[in-house]
Amino acid sequence: MEEDMLTFEMVEEVNLDGVNAIASLRDFLRELANDFTAYARQFSVAAAMVFSLTEASAVTTFEGTEEGSPVMEYVLTEENLPTKAEIALEKLLYLDDDWDGYGAPAISRKSIDNCNKIIRLLPRQSADSIEVLPTEYGGVQIKKILADGSLLSSDFGDDTMSYYIEKDGKATYFPFLHYTQTAVEKLAGTLG
């Protein structure tokens, strides 16, 4: 067996509602996706495992899952891979304190999760066109050119988000919004 190969033991069929196993496997999957080229095989196995557990089934190894099988077709479907924005967000977790050389704090997991709430509501093409940046305050900033040519820039912190839309030199500001369902859906609708 090759060193970079992951092997999973068979799992019993169980009802996974409310169990953290799926979330843990998805976190593992995102970590592997950070260096997709180096971990393509592990990524495929982890994705197959997540799909398999979601369907209350099981998978053993990459070799045990034939390329033409429904599981691998699911794994290899582009829409099931993380978006560029999701991968960029996860990479921000690797920034330590003073990442900018001027004393900026590490990017908080909570601000990344808050930004992900928006990203996951977007169509894939829209999410793939978003620029993701760290902020000097430990938060996340995203930027996107909208269909009408205006620029949307949004900052995500632990407790609030702010954004503005700039067109023809004029900006409309939406400052310090709490992460309510209405605010999240409004921003996602604007980005989408």
Side-chain angles (χ1 to χ4, degrees):
M1 182 180 300
E2 297 178 21
E3 284 185 31
D4 67 346
M5 179 61 67
L6 294 180
T7 303
F8 294 100
E9 294 181 17
M10 291 293 288
V11 294
E12 294 181 21
E13 291 189 16
V14 292
N15 181 353
L16 294 172
D17 291 340
V19 177
N20 290 329
I22 297 297
S24 296
L25 284 169
R26 286 190 177 131
D27 289 344
F28 175 65
L29 175 60
R30 286 190 184 102
E31 283 181 37
L32 293 177
N34 284 324
D35 190 356
F36 184 78
T37 303
Y39 297 109
R41 292 180 111 179
Q42 290 92 331
F43 179 80
S44 297
V45 172
M49 188 67 170
V50 169
F51 174 80
S52 183
L53 285 175
T54 302
E55 296 300 312
S57 184
V59 65
T60 53
T61 66
F62 184 78
E63 284 95 1
T65 307
E66 296 179 17
E67 287 184 29
S69 74
V71 170
M72 289 314 295
E73 286 179 19
Y74 176 87
V75 168
L76 299 173
T77 301
E78 181 179 318
E79 66 195 39
N80 297 314
L81 298 174
T83 64
K84 291 176 185 176
E86 287 174 309
I87 292 170
L89 280 170
E90 291 300 316
K91 286 183 178 182
L92 295 181
L93 286 173
Y94 294 101
L95 296 177
D96 294 324
D97 287 333
D98 196 32
W99 57 268
D100 66 348
Y102 295 98
I107 309 306
S108 80
R109 178 75 209 187
K110 193 171 180 184
S111 66
I112 290 171
D113 289 344
N114 288 331
C115 184
N116 252 331
K117 287 178 188 175
I118 306 294
I119 301 297
R120 291 183 180 136
L121 293 174
L122 301 176
R124 177 172 203 81
Q125 185 176 8
S126 181
D128 280 340
S129 66
I130 290 175
E131 181 181 8
V132 176
L133 304 163
T135 71
E136 61 194 73
Y137 305 108
V140 176
Q141 181 181 70
I142 62 172
K143 293 183 177 186
K144 182 177 182 202
I145 303 297
L146 302 178
D148 66 358
S150 59
L151 168 70
L152 185 144
S153 179
S154 182
D155 289 344
F156 298 87
D158 287 351
D159 301 314
T160 61
M161 65 179 174
S162 299
Y163 66 99
Y164 69 88
I165 301 170
E166 182 180 339
K167 185 170 183 179
D168 300 327
K170 297 178 184 175
T172 305
Y173 293 90
F174 302 88
F176 305 108
L177 303 170
H178 291 279
Y179 295 102
T180 63
Q181 183 173 349
T182 303
V184 167
E185 288 175 356
K186 181 177 181 182
L187 178 54
T190 304
L191 283 164

